[in-house]
Structures are given as structure tokens and as C-alpha cells.
Amino acid sequence: MTDRPDNRPNTDGLPKTQPLKPSQVRQNVNAKRMLRRLVQGENPPTAPMSIVDRLAGSPYANPIIHVGGVDASARKTIDFALHMAESMFRYGAGALEVETSIIAVTAALGLKNIEVDITNQSVQINYAPKDQTPLTLLRVVRSWTNNYAGLAQVHQLVTDIVAGGVGRAEAVRRLDEIIRSSKPFPRWMVTMAFGVFSAVFVGVLGGGLGASALAFVSNMLVNLVARQLGKWRTPDFFVTAACSFLVTFIALMLHWAGADIPPSIVVAGGILLLLPTGRLVSSVQDAINGFPVTAAGRFLSTILTFGAIVAGIAVAVVVGDLIGSVAIDVTQTFPEAYPLWGQAILIAVAVIAIGITEQTLLKLLLPTAAVGLVGYFVLWGASNLGFGDRLSPAISAVIIGLLARMVALRLGAPQLVVAVPAALILLPGLKIFRSMYVLTVQEADVLLGSGGMLNAGAIVLGVAAGIVLGDNLARPLTKGLASNERRRVRRR
């Protein structure tokens, strides 16, 4: 036995340590990893977010990305993306939808190092590959049109590109076909739809057959006047003001002539289609999703449209008062002219008519009417439960927004295409007219009229915010719809 060096401690009396088992080693490693996550997080706090991460929650999450050989023709890909974005904006899409479509398409076609900037009417794409000259292109949107069918077709095109089944050349050809193709419904049918919507909605508000007939004729005339003013390049503000003036003046004059027709109901049914519902929903969506400049621009445009409607009503009321029109009792309430099942049928017809005026796809008309019916029953139930005139439309709008996303994505369309026509019935056209009449004629009740306008504005904003909230609530429920769509494209 060798002697132990003097400088070594005596450890013979200490307990012997046992080697760790593999399970204990794994437990220690997991405990250290959890502690590290609790202390510093999974990622550094200043790590930049990849632009593809913006697709999370959208129908285009996890796109199939083609790598190699594409950067040489980056200019053509960016031109296509800008052309697509311009078309989507013209057809009424929101800024977030346009941004996610651009990111999904450029990523699927193989472009990295892309940045997208959307500011009100302009879309800018910056392509800056490493150690190469950057490329920046800008496109400005200068016109708008009612074409929900075109918006749905562009949405389907983006879905196919993300699925990996469509190359750039084929995508360019399909986009050109969408832009050149005619709208689903002819002009005469759109004009008829304007009148049909006003007639059936007047019936929902409590007007009889006479009031519905007057609303039908006056709104067909309004649509023709708006079309003619559009040919003369009249600004939209004056077109809207002229239309609201015409529908109000006709109703007041027939009431003055002795016709047993409540003009307030006729005006309410007439101005609903003039309200910028789609633009308001898009502006609220842009504000919530982090596009403040775009939202501000759309809000200003929306406020101007509301101002034009109010101005037209005010001028018509003043002119009618000058020529001796009989004063209207705007506090008058009207009993329901039809039972609940009859009102449900009228609501379905009204939503279909709105879809025709917005030029939506034929296959979306009945599903949109179904969503509108559900929203109407929710509104009826919330009102009977005592939620009030302001909260009940917002609750109904949340349900409409949720169902619209589920139905639209299943049918290959964006949520806006279904939500806006279905939610138009929630807007307070009658309240707007009553408040404007009080402000214009009954000057002693200025506070009452101002309060009514603020109340109507709160309802409109509540409906728009409710649609956006419903869209966000439906995102976890629609994750599988996009993947199903991609699997279906692969099988083609």
C-alpha cells in the first residue's frame, strides 16, 4: 500500500457519491432549460421579426417557398405583386389583407429580403438582396369599383400560388383575366337590386306596400343619377350628396302632396346603400392591425361620405320647408308590418340584393344571405334581452364577422366579401335621418339632434369593430381551412 501525500485530505470517512442515472441527467437538463427560458426568454428581446411571420393567422400561413433561380427575374415578380395589390385595393380589400398577399406571393415565388410599405393609396415594395443593388417600386391606387367577385378571384389566385401549384407566368395570365373579365351582374340588374333592397328594407322597418313601392322607384332613379354623374367625372362627395338629396326630397314631396307614406322610413331605406360600409370596416380593420396612416385616410374618406349624406338630407329638408312642406314627426314609431318569419324572408332578399350591387360571386349570394339571417336573429334576440340599441348591433356584428370568415374561407373568398353585405342591415339609417331632421328644422332641439348623430356614429363604429373582432375570433377556428385548400390544389 503506497503512502498518501501529506497535502491530500483524508476522505475515507465521507459518504460515497453514486453516479447519476440517465433519467436524472435528462431531468437536470430540462430543469436548466426551463430556468433559462424563465430568466431570458426563448429569443433575444431585440431580434427582428421575419416578414414571413406576418402571415401567421392569415389564410396564407406557411407558404411553399421556391428557392433558386428566381432572383434574376425579381423585377417581374415585384411588378406582378404590385399589380395584384393595386387590384385588391381597387376592389375594396383592407391593408392587412393586401400586405399578407404580397408577402405570401413573393415568398412563394422565391424572393427573400422583401419589405412592404402600405400608406393610404400607395403600395411600395423594397427588394434588397445581400451585397446587391436594392430595387424599390411604388404603385398608387387612384380608382375604386364595386367588384367583390374580382376580390374573391384574386384571393383564390393567391391561395393557389401559396400552395405551389401556380408559377409566375401562369399567375400573371390569370390576374390579367380577372381584371379584364366582366362583372357577374349586368347594370340593369344592379339598378333593380338597388330598388329591391330599399323596398324590402322599408318593409322590415314597418313601412307598408306603398312605402316600399316609393322606395323602389326612388332608389332606381338615384342609381341612374349616380351613374350619369359618374360619367361626368363628378367627385364622389357631390354624387352622394345629390343621391341623398333626391331620395329625401321625393319622400318629402309625396308626403306634402297627401300620400299616406312615412317619409322617414323611405329615406332610411334609401340612404343605407349610400353608407360607406365596406370602407368603414376596412378603416377600422387597418387601425386595429397597425396601419394608422391608411386607416386615417380611409376614415377621412368615410367621414366625407357621411357628411355628403347628411348635407343632401339637410338641403332637401330646407328646400321642402321653404316651399311649404308639412313638418314631420320624427319621433313617430311604426309597428311591425310583417311577422318575424316574413321579416326574415325580407332580410334574406335584402342581403342578396346588396350582394348583387357589390358584384359578388353568384355562389356566395345564398351563404351571405344565411350569415345575414343569423345576424338578424342575434340582433332580435339581443334587443329583446335588453342589451340596448347600441350594444345589440355590435353583438350581432361580432357573430356576422365570425361566421363570415368561416364561410368565406371555405368558399375561397376573403371575409370582407361576406361580412359587409350581411352587416349592412345593422346600420341606423332611420336614426341618421331623424337626427339630421332635428338639427336642420327643429333648431330648438340642437342638443337632441347632435346626441342622435353621436349615437348613430357610435352604432356604426360598433358594427365595424364587431366585424373585425369576429374575424379575429374566428382565426383559431379556420386554421384548417387554408391547409385543406392547399391540399386540394396539390391534387389538381
Side-chain angles (χ1 to χ4, degrees):
M1 183 175 182
T2 59
D3 295 335
R4 185 174 60 246
D6 294 338
N7 58 351
R8 292 182 60 187
N10 186 2
T11 61
D12 292 339
L14 296 177
K16 303 295 184 181
T17 58
Q18 299 296 328
L20 295 177
K21 298 178 181 179
S23 60
Q24 293 175 322
V25 174
R26 286 194 298 270
Q27 290 176 358
N28 289 340
V29 172
N30 292 334
K32 292 179 180 179
R33 184 181 297 115
M34 184 177 296
L35 180 61
R36 188 181 304 114
R37 289 179 178 177
L38 290 174
V39 173
Q40 68 180 37
E42 295 184 4
N43 295 317
T46 57
M49 184 184 72
S50 172
I51 192 171
V52 182
D53 292 340
R54 288 284 288 172
L55 300 179
S58 74
Y60 316 122
N62 303 317
I64 296 178
I65 300 176
H66 299 279
V67 180
V70 184
D71 286 353
S73 56
R75 170 63 187 265
K76 295 181 180 179
T77 301
I78 297 176
D79 280 337
F80 166 73
L82 283 174
H83 197 190
M84 177 195 70
E86 180 190 14
S87 302
M88 295 180 69
F89 263 128
R90 288 185 67 242
Y91 298 156
L96 180 63
E97 184 178 357
V98 175
E99 184 192 57
T100 53
S101 299
I102 293 174
I103 296 171
V105 166
T106 53
L109 296 180
L111 287 188
K112 300 180 180 180
N113 307 301
I114 286 288
E115 290 294 340
V116 181
D117 182 35
I118 297 175
T119 305
N120 199 13
Q121 296 177 248
S122 65
V123 182
Q124 179 175 292
I125 298 179
N126 180 55
Y127 174 59
K130 187 176 181 180
D131 299 329
Q132 296 184 30
T133 303
L135 175 64
T136 300
L137 297 179
L138 176 71
R139 186 69 63 91
V140 178
V141 184
R142 294 185 173 89
S143 62
W144 291 266
T145 182
N146 293 337
N147 193 356
Y148 279 178
L151 182 58
Q153 291 170 349
V154 174
H155 174 90
Q156 186 62 52
L157 173 60
V158 176
T159 303
D160 294 344
I161 295 173
V162 171
V166 176
R168 190 186 63 220
E170 175 68 12
V172 171
R173 184 190 64 80
R174 285 179 55 178
L175 182 61
D176 290 339
E177 287 183 356
I178 293 172
I179 295 173
R180 290 197 303 265
S181 61
S182 58
K183 296 180 180 180
F185 305 103
R187 289 184 176 180
W188 67 266
M189 188 176 293
V190 173
T191 303
M192 292 287 292
F194 265 91
V196 169
F197 168 78
S198 300
V200 297
F201 196 77
V202 164
V204 172
L205 293 176
L209 293 178
S212 295
L214 173 59
F216 178 81
V217 174
S218 62
N219 276 271
M220 288 184 63
L221 179 60
V222 162
N223 182 256
L224 294 175
V225 170
R227 188 175 300 167
Q228 185 60 45
L229 291 176
K231 291 180 180 179
W232 293 344
R233 303 288 182 178
T234 306
D236 291 340
F237 179 89
F238 298 108
V239 173
T240 304
C243 292
S244 62
F245 167 82
L246 187 61
V247 69
T248 306
F249 188 73
I250 292 175
L252 291 177
M253 290 301 99
L254 286 178
H255 179 70
W256 178 48
D260 187 18
I261 296 173
S264 56
I265 288 184
V266 176
V267 175
I271 67 174
L272 274 185
L273 283 176
L274 300 176
L275 296 175
T277 313
R279 203 179 313 158
L280 180 61
V281 172
S282 296
S283 61
V284 173
Q285 190 177 40
D286 292 343
I288 293 175
N289 292 326
F291 297 90
V293 178
T294 306
R298 290 189 172 185
F299 268 128
L300 179 60
S301 177
T302 302
I303 291 173
L304 285 176
T305 303
F306 274 104
I309 294 173
V310 171
I313 294 174
V315 173
V317 170
V318 171
V319 172
D321 185 58
L322 290 176
I323 63 178
S325 175
V326 181
I328 302 174
D329 182 11
V330 294
T331 62
Q332 179 184 2
T333 58
F334 305 95
E336 295 178 353
Y338 304 96
L340 183 61
W341 63 266
Q343 294 183 20
I345 294 175
L346 293 179
I347 288 294
V349 174
V351 174
I352 292 175
I354 299 168
I356 294 175
T357 61
E358 296 290 352
Q359 295 287 356
T360 191
L361 290 173
L362 183 62
K363 67 177 182 180
L364 291 175
L365 287 179
L366 291 180
T368 303
V371 173
L373 269 178
V374 173
Y376 175 71
F377 284 123
V378 171
L379 175 67
W380 177 80
S383 299
N384 289 335
L385 291 175
F387 283 95
D389 294 337
R390 283 177 289 186
L391 188 57
S392 296
I395 295 174
S396 177
V398 172
I399 302 301
I400 288 176
L402 188 148
L403 294 178
R405 181 178 177 88
M406 299 176 66
V407 171
L409 291 184
R410 189 172 295 277
L411 296 176
Q415 183 250 13
L416 189 74
V417 172
V418 176
V420 170
L424 190 64
I425 58 174
L426 304 177
L427 299 182
L430 187 58
K431 191 179 295 293
I432 292 175
F433 171 75
R434 285 172 172 170
S435 302
M436 193 62 246
Y437 186 87
V438 171
L439 281 173
T440 307
V441 177
Q442 302 174 3
E443 298 180 359
D445 296 329
V446 173
L447 292 179
L448 180 62
S450 301
M453 288 299 297
L454 290 176
N455 191 21
I459 294 174
V460 172
L461 288 177
V463 169
I467 293 174
V468 178
L469 176 59
D471 179 53
N472 284 272
L473 292 178
R475 289 188 178 186
L477 306 176
T478 56
K479 287 183 177 179
L481 296 181
S483 60
N484 290 337
E485 182 65 27
R486 288 196 286 270
R487 286 196 295 268
R488 187 184 67 177
V489 173
R490 291 192 190 102
R491 289 197 297 266
R492 291 178 181 172

